[in-house]
């Protein structure tokens, strides 16, 4: 197992691990409950970490995580008029069709 990154909180660590899992990686959250022993370890060691199971997954997982963390907007193509939609929109601005699930 290799440590991929440290997350600022458990919710984000869980979200990233879920997204990586959906992306085909064996990702897991470690030290998720370390806050219960806060005071016994330095604060920077209490943060949740995201780990990948296989060493060879480390770099591709890091690449995917970077994309997830830095992607400013979604991009999708309208199923109705094939307009390319960028941004936090869930409806096509051209024909009003809903974003596909
Ligand atoms: Zn449309």
């Amino acid at each position: 197992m290799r440590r991929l990154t440290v997350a600022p909180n458990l919710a984000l660590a869980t979200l990233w691990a879920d997204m990586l899992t959906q992306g085909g990686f064996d990702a897991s959250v470690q030290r998720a409950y370390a806050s219960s022993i806060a005071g016994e370890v330095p604060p920077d060691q209490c943060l949740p970490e995201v780990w990948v199971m296989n060493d060879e997954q480390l770099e591709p997982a890091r690449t995917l995580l970077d994309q997830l963390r830095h992607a400013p907007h979604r991009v999708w193509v309208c199923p109705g008029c094939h307009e390319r939609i960028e941004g936090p929109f869930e409806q096509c601005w051209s024909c009003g069709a809903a974003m596909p699930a």
Side-chain angles (χ1 to χ4, degrees):
M1 283 191 33
R2 296 288 298 272
R3 189 178 74 170
L4 180 62
T5 190
V6 177
N9 57 61
L10 181 57
L12 207 49
T14 304
L15 177 69
W16 289 346
D18 283 349
M19 289 171 134
L20 288 164
T21 300
Q22 287 173 18
F25 296 97
D26 285 327
S28 62
V29 177
Q30 302 293 323
R31 284 189 186 165
Y33 305 105
S35 59
S36 63
I37 55 168
E40 297 179 18
V41 293
D44 65 349
Q45 293 182 21
C46 291
L47 294 173
E49 298 170 342
V50 179
W51 288 62
V52 290
M53 197 62 69
N54 301 317
D55 288 8
E56 63 268 26
Q57 290 188 335
L58 187 63
E59 284 310 314
R62 196 187 300 280
T63 300
L64 176 60
L65 187 61
D66 279 348
Q67 291 171 354
L68 295 172
R69 293 171 74 173
H70 298 126
H73 298 303
R74 285 175 296 203
V75 177
W76 54 282
V77 175
C78 174
C81 67
H82 304 293
E83 182 75 39
R84 183 180 152 97
I85 314 297
E86 293 184 52
F89 307 105
E90 295 188 353
Q91 215 178 12
C92 174
W93 59 61
S94 179
C95 72
M99 181 177 72

